[in-house]
Amino acid sequence: MTGHILLKGENIKKSYGHVDALKGVDFTLKKGEILALVGDNAAGKSTLVKILSGAISLDFGKIFIDEKEEHISNPAASRALGIETVYQQFALVDNLTVYCNVFLGRLINKKILGGIPILDKRKMQDESWKVINLMGIKFDSVKRKVSDLSGGQRQAVAIARALLFNPRIIILDEPTSGLAVKEVNKIQDIILNFKDKGISVIFISHRLESIFATADRIMVLRSGVKVMDEENDKITSKDVVEKMFAIEHKK
Amino acid sequence: MNLKNILLHSSALAILALGMSLVMLTNGIDLSVGSLVSLVSIVTAGLLGSKFGVLFAIFSGILTASFFGIFSGIIISRIKLPPFIVTLGTMVITASLALVLCGGETLYWEKNWFNTIALKYFFGVPILFCIVSIFFILIMLLIHYTSFGSYIYGIGSNEEALRLCGVKVKLYKTLVYLLSGCFASVAGIMLTSRIASGNPIIGMGYEFEAIAAAAIGGISFIGGKGNPAFAFLSAVTITMLTNGLGLMGFTTPWQYCGIGAILVFGMFLNRILAKVSLPER
Amino acid sequence: MRRNDILLRFALLIILAILIFLVNPNFGKPANLINILRQGALLYILAIGMTIVILTGGIDLSNGAVLALSSCVAAIAMERGLPIMVGIIISLAIGMICGFVNGVLVTQVKIPPFITTFAMMYFARGLAYIFSHGRIIYGFEKSFRFIGTGNIFGIPMPVIFSLLLLFIFYIVLEYTSFGVNIYAVGSNSESSRLVGINVKKVRIIAYLLSGFLSAFAGLIYTARLNAAEPVVGASFPLDAIAAVIIGGTSIVGGEGNLFGSAIGVLICTVIINGMNLMGISSLWQQFVIGSIILIIITTQTYTKSAKINIPILRSRKIESFEK
């Protein structure tokens, strides 16, 4: 874990009306590191993810990528910076085919008749087929509509979308919720695989086993404040639970 | 400006907006009310013209519109087709029926006490508006003090949850369209009395005006939010403003532009008010 | 599933045509068939715009009024002696401006499309009256009238235009990023936003196209009648919506296509033409079209729910095997 600091957030604040979702959070993410983001409901995890992915904008604070300050004003800007997000509900469009979903927002065009941009369906089909197969989840065709897919297959499409554009950072918001045990293991393998490729990962989950099996570092949020930020091997799940729910030590 | 006239003119739109707001609260829409107004006008006038009693004619009018209200309601709740499509279907069907029944012509009848309803006043308030106000009070009681009222809001915000709680969602949805149909018939009868004739296209466009009045009154298009009282008020206000444009000497074309501007401005105001006011409950 | 829906509608169209033909063989004469296409062409041009707007989850009630406004303005421009091309360009520009304003009000001011376009309907209609002073403007040059009355190889110009537009917009919807984005925005606007699609831009362009097509239809209409007047087109929005719905486009957006709408328009036109041939009063036309809407959507819902059930059964079985 000796990579340089790729992503850094300073004093990030966000409130919705009277509710302060984030009350000034600092964090760092190194290259090739898997950072687990843990917290109870309404701890501010999702808000932080949404800020990084450009779905909402922050009220206060700075975000640095490679020590350069960046403003992530919309999802396209986040993607342009090499940040890919796999949302909790996958953010898939049911009525479209698998390959259109994989490339949604960045569809590939080819020029015909001297400059008219037409979708390059063949190329998109081939590339999405390749990426999805890499993950080892069974698929018969990428021309299927997403509405016909199972939960695991949908997850694969969502991850394929993140993987395809050589991201530097992948954010996974509850990637294992609602999946069977077998599929959870597969997702964990995929996350470890990212690390081997040098991709940094921010990983949100309720499942502590998954977190301890994959993460290098664990960051705990409680009511919008960072309460813990430790290397995986220096803490136990008991420490994490205590911090999450603010349980006092009875010694 | 003549307040009496405004109340008289706003009666039909006000009661339609009331019915429409109930439908929209359940996340529905009723495009058929305008043609139902026309159909009721033709049925009532036709029966009066054939020397039937006034009460029988009125009753038949109400029955006709109720039938189509239940028809839409059953298709929407049982077959689960989108309300927009179903009521569009009933809309064109009833519009056509109105034309067929009268052969496309205006119907008249020998003058009787039905003609004078629209001309009477009760302590300076038009009788028609009094009738509408009674319905308004009844609907307010229904909304605030009955389980049906809370189901209407419930169906609009989470129909599935209500169904799982054992609420007869289909029945209540059908009832809402029945109410909307009934209100359309009341509007139709009032207009027929006012113009003293049966006109097959008198209700044309009323459905959109009622929807606009409800929307400007803060009834959400996705259901569950809003208060029919404001829909009612906005219907009266819209009539006042549009009539006002005429009284101020604007010609019809400018009135059209004015109505367009009022609608947009009304929605804009509504959005600002929604932002300023505190969140509900 | 989509292909089945189209086939269902195509079958209905053929059955209707055969029934009418059996009652009145005049229906099958080439002149009458071309007549049907010509009658349907104008509605179809409006239906293309309506389909695109409905696909994004919106609706456009203003197309009839925009048609009246843009054709009146074009007519006035030509009456005053401006070149035909200038008149055409002004008219198309006005249509696009109206559509653009609709789009901006819907996306930026966040007024529901229903109210926005309803207000635009009043506004455009009012302007049409104001500009034309409520009179009928008639008598245009032959070269302009050609786009409404001309023929090429016996095919009326309106039909050629509508086929051309079908081709262009079919390509746009099926083979361009913009087309995919339209379907994406209509079926899940939040997901579309999260993956970086500019949802507002897509919606605005959809309304703009609808405005453009309304103005285009207005030009053809004016050329064919050799007259422009501010009252035309009051029923066009609902006619177009009915045709689009009969054509199988989902009213909540994200599903449907232009071939469906073409069949929807043809079904409506064939019914009206057939009823005229059979001497049935035109007062019944709406009745039949309303019934067709209800019948076809009911049938579609039943066939669809029957199909959805099958994969659920299948996946349950696999799960139980694994355990």
Side-chain angles (χ1 to χ4, degrees), chain A residues 186-209:
Chain A
K186 199 154 257 168
I187 298 288
Q188 288 176 8
D189 291 346
I190 291 172
I191 292 172
L192 289 171
N193 197 16
F194 290 158
K195 185 189 158 115
D196 296 341
K197 288 181 186 161
I199 303 172
S200 311
V201 178
I202 298 178
F203 172 35
I204 293 184
S205 182
H206 277 109
R207 246 182 249 258
L208 288 182
E209 317 101 82

Short mmCIF file of all heavy atoms in Angstrom, two decimals, chain A residues 186-209:
data_model
loop_
_atom_site.label_atom_id
_atom_site.label_comp_id
_atom_site.label_asym_id
_atom_site.label_seq_id
_atom_site.Cartn_x
_atom_site.Cartn_y
_atom_site.Cartn_z
N LYS A 186 -18.41 -13.62 -5.52
CA LYS A 186 -17.96 -13.23 -6.85
C LYS A 186 -17.66 -11.73 -6.91
O LYS A 186 -16.64 -11.31 -7.46
CB LYS A 186 -19.05 -13.59 -7.87
CG LYS A 186 -18.53 -13.66 -9.27
CD LYS A 186 -19.38 -14.58 -10.10
CE LYS A 186 -18.72 -15.94 -10.32
NZ LYS A 186 -19.61 -16.93 -10.88
N ILE A 187 -18.55 -10.95 -6.28
CA ILE A 187 -18.34 -9.50 -6.26
C ILE A 187 -17.05 -9.18 -5.50
O ILE A 187 -16.26 -8.32 -5.92
CB ILE A 187 -19.54 -8.80 -5.59
CG1 ILE A 187 -20.82 -9.04 -6.37
CG2 ILE A 187 -19.27 -7.30 -5.46
CD1 ILE A 187 -20.93 -8.33 -7.67
N GLN A 188 -16.81 -9.89 -4.39
CA GLN A 188 -15.57 -9.64 -3.63
C GLN A 188 -14.34 -9.93 -4.50
O GLN A 188 -13.37 -9.19 -4.48
CB GLN A 188 -15.54 -10.51 -2.38
CG GLN A 188 -16.53 -10.02 -1.34
CD GLN A 188 -16.57 -10.93 -0.12
OE1 GLN A 188 -15.76 -11.84 0.01
NE2 GLN A 188 -17.53 -10.69 0.74
N ASP A 189 -14.40 -11.04 -5.25
CA ASP A 189 -13.29 -11.35 -6.16
C ASP A 189 -13.09 -10.22 -7.16
O ASP A 189 -11.95 -9.83 -7.46
CB ASP A 189 -13.59 -12.65 -6.92
CG ASP A 189 -13.53 -13.85 -6.00
OD1 ASP A 189 -13.01 -13.67 -4.87
OD2 ASP A 189 -14.03 -14.91 -6.37
N ILE A 190 -14.21 -9.71 -7.68
CA ILE A 190 -14.10 -8.65 -8.68
C ILE A 190 -13.43 -7.42 -8.06
O ILE A 190 -12.57 -6.79 -8.68
CB ILE A 190 -15.51 -8.30 -9.22
CG1 ILE A 190 -16.05 -9.46 -10.05
CG2 ILE A 190 -15.47 -7.03 -10.06
CD1 ILE A 190 -17.48 -9.29 -10.48
N ILE A 191 -13.80 -7.11 -6.81
CA ILE A 191 -13.22 -5.93 -6.15
C ILE A 191 -11.71 -6.13 -5.96
O ILE A 191 -10.91 -5.22 -6.25
CB ILE A 191 -13.91 -5.69 -4.80
CG1 ILE A 191 -15.36 -5.25 -5.04
CG2 ILE A 191 -13.17 -4.64 -3.99
CD1 ILE A 191 -16.17 -5.16 -3.78
N LEU A 192 -11.32 -7.32 -5.51
CA LEU A 192 -9.87 -7.58 -5.33
C LEU A 192 -9.15 -7.50 -6.67
O LEU A 192 -7.98 -7.09 -6.74
CB LEU A 192 -9.67 -8.94 -4.67
CG LEU A 192 -10.10 -8.98 -3.20
CD1 LEU A 192 -10.09 -10.40 -2.67
CD2 LEU A 192 -9.20 -8.08 -2.35
N ASN A 193 -9.85 -7.90 -7.70
CA ASN A 193 -9.30 -7.86 -9.05
C ASN A 193 -9.01 -6.42 -9.50
O ASN A 193 -8.00 -6.15 -10.14
CB ASN A 193 -10.30 -8.54 -9.99
CG ASN A 193 -9.65 -8.91 -11.29
OD1 ASN A 193 -8.42 -8.94 -11.39
ND2 ASN A 193 -10.45 -9.18 -12.30
N PHE A 194 -9.90 -5.51 -9.10
CA PHE A 194 -9.67 -4.09 -9.41
C PHE A 194 -8.33 -3.65 -8.86
O PHE A 194 -7.55 -2.97 -9.49
CB PHE A 194 -10.74 -3.20 -8.75
CG PHE A 194 -12.11 -3.33 -9.35
CD1 PHE A 194 -13.23 -2.97 -8.62
CD2 PHE A 194 -12.28 -3.78 -10.64
CE1 PHE A 194 -14.48 -3.07 -9.14
CE2 PHE A 194 -13.54 -3.90 -11.18
CZ PHE A 194 -14.64 -3.54 -10.43
N LYS A 195 -8.09 -4.05 -7.60
CA LYS A 195 -6.89 -3.64 -6.89
C LYS A 195 -5.65 -4.11 -7.65
O LYS A 195 -4.67 -3.37 -7.79
CB LYS A 195 -6.93 -4.24 -5.50
CG LYS A 195 -5.82 -3.83 -4.59
CD LYS A 195 -5.88 -4.68 -3.34
CE LYS A 195 -4.54 -4.68 -2.67
NZ LYS A 195 -4.60 -4.04 -1.38
N ASP A 196 -5.72 -5.35 -8.15
CA ASP A 196 -4.57 -5.88 -8.90
C ASP A 196 -4.29 -5.03 -10.14
O ASP A 196 -3.16 -4.92 -10.60
CB ASP A 196 -4.83 -7.33 -9.33
CG ASP A 196 -4.97 -8.24 -8.12
OD1 ASP A 196 -4.50 -7.82 -7.03
OD2 ASP A 196 -5.55 -9.33 -8.25
N LYS A 197 -5.35 -4.45 -10.68
CA LYS A 197 -5.17 -3.62 -11.87
C LYS A 197 -4.73 -2.21 -11.53
O LYS A 197 -4.59 -1.37 -12.41
CB LYS A 197 -6.48 -3.54 -12.66
CG LYS A 197 -6.84 -4.82 -13.38
CD LYS A 197 -8.13 -4.64 -14.14
CE LYS A 197 -8.57 -5.96 -14.74
NZ LYS A 197 -9.99 -5.94 -15.08
N GLY A 198 -4.59 -1.92 -10.23
CA GLY A 198 -4.16 -0.59 -9.82
C GLY A 198 -5.28 0.42 -9.71
O GLY A 198 -5.05 1.62 -9.64
N ILE A 199 -6.52 -0.09 -9.71
CA ILE A 199 -7.65 0.83 -9.57
C ILE A 199 -7.95 1.01 -8.09
O ILE A 199 -7.96 0.05 -7.33
CB ILE A 199 -8.90 0.26 -10.27
CG1 ILE A 199 -8.60 -0.02 -11.74
CG2 ILE A 199 -10.09 1.19 -10.12
CD1 ILE A 199 -9.70 -0.76 -12.46
N SER A 200 -8.19 2.25 -7.67
CA SER A 200 -8.59 2.50 -6.29
C SER A 200 -10.09 2.25 -6.16
O SER A 200 -10.84 2.50 -7.09
CB SER A 200 -8.30 3.94 -5.89
OG SER A 200 -7.00 4.27 -6.24
N VAL A 201 -10.50 1.76 -4.99
CA VAL A 201 -11.91 1.43 -4.81
C VAL A 201 -12.44 2.05 -3.52
O VAL A 201 -11.77 2.00 -2.48
CB VAL A 201 -12.10 -0.11 -4.73
CG1 VAL A 201 -13.57 -0.44 -4.50
CG2 VAL A 201 -11.61 -0.78 -5.98
N ILE A 202 -13.60 2.67 -3.61
CA ILE A 202 -14.32 3.05 -2.40
C ILE A 202 -15.54 2.14 -2.34
O ILE A 202 -16.29 2.04 -3.31
CB ILE A 202 -14.76 4.53 -2.42
CG1 ILE A 202 -13.53 5.43 -2.47
CG2 ILE A 202 -15.59 4.85 -1.18
CD1 ILE A 202 -13.86 6.91 -2.55
N PHE A 203 -15.71 1.50 -1.19
CA PHE A 203 -16.62 0.37 -1.12
C PHE A 203 -17.53 0.57 0.09
O PHE A 203 -17.06 0.69 1.21
CB PHE A 203 -15.74 -0.88 -1.00
CG PHE A 203 -16.44 -2.16 -0.74
CD1 PHE A 203 -17.69 -2.42 -1.27
CD2 PHE A 203 -15.83 -3.14 0.04
CE1 PHE A 203 -18.30 -3.62 -1.02
CE2 PHE A 203 -16.45 -4.34 0.28
CZ PHE A 203 -17.70 -4.59 -0.24
N ILE A 204 -18.83 0.66 -0.17
CA ILE A 204 -19.77 0.84 0.94
C ILE A 204 -20.52 -0.45 1.16
O ILE A 204 -20.99 -1.06 0.19
CB ILE A 204 -20.81 1.93 0.60
CG1 ILE A 204 -20.12 3.28 0.51
CG2 ILE A 204 -21.91 1.98 1.64
CD1 ILE A 204 -21.06 4.40 0.28
N SER A 205 -20.60 -0.89 2.40
CA SER A 205 -21.36 -2.11 2.63
C SER A 205 -21.82 -2.19 4.08
O SER A 205 -21.21 -1.61 4.97
CB SER A 205 -20.54 -3.34 2.28
OG SER A 205 -21.32 -4.49 2.47
N HIS A 206 -22.90 -2.90 4.28
CA HIS A 206 -23.33 -3.22 5.63
C HIS A 206 -22.67 -4.49 6.12
O HIS A 206 -22.65 -4.79 7.29
CB HIS A 206 -24.86 -3.43 5.66
CG HIS A 206 -25.61 -2.15 5.76
ND1 HIS A 206 -26.33 -1.64 4.72
CD2 HIS A 206 -25.74 -1.28 6.79
CE1 HIS A 206 -26.88 -0.51 5.10
NE2 HIS A 206 -26.54 -0.27 6.35
N ARG A 207 -22.19 -5.29 5.19
CA ARG A 207 -21.66 -6.61 5.50
C ARG A 207 -20.22 -6.51 5.97
O ARG A 207 -19.31 -6.31 5.17
CB ARG A 207 -21.67 -7.45 4.22
CG ARG A 207 -22.61 -8.61 4.23
CD ARG A 207 -22.42 -9.32 2.91
NE ARG A 207 -23.60 -9.15 2.08
CZ ARG A 207 -24.52 -10.11 1.94
NH1 ARG A 207 -24.37 -11.27 2.52
NH2 ARG A 207 -25.56 -9.91 1.19
N LEU A 208 -20.00 -6.66 7.27
CA LEU A 208 -18.64 -6.50 7.78
C LEU A 208 -17.70 -7.59 7.29
O LEU A 208 -16.52 -7.34 7.08
CB LEU A 208 -18.65 -6.45 9.32
CG LEU A 208 -19.23 -5.15 9.89
CD1 LEU A 208 -19.17 -5.16 11.40
CD2 LEU A 208 -18.52 -3.92 9.37
N GLU A 209 -18.23 -8.82 7.06
CA GLU A 209 -17.33 -9.88 6.56
C GLU A 209 -16.75 -9.47 5.21
O GLU A 209 -15.56 -9.63 4.97
CB GLU A 209 -18.05 -11.22 6.39
CG GLU A 209 -18.98 -11.63 7.48
CD GLU A 209 -20.43 -11.36 7.10
OE1 GLU A 209 -21.01 -12.18 6.39
OE2 GLU A 209 -20.95 -10.30 7.50
#
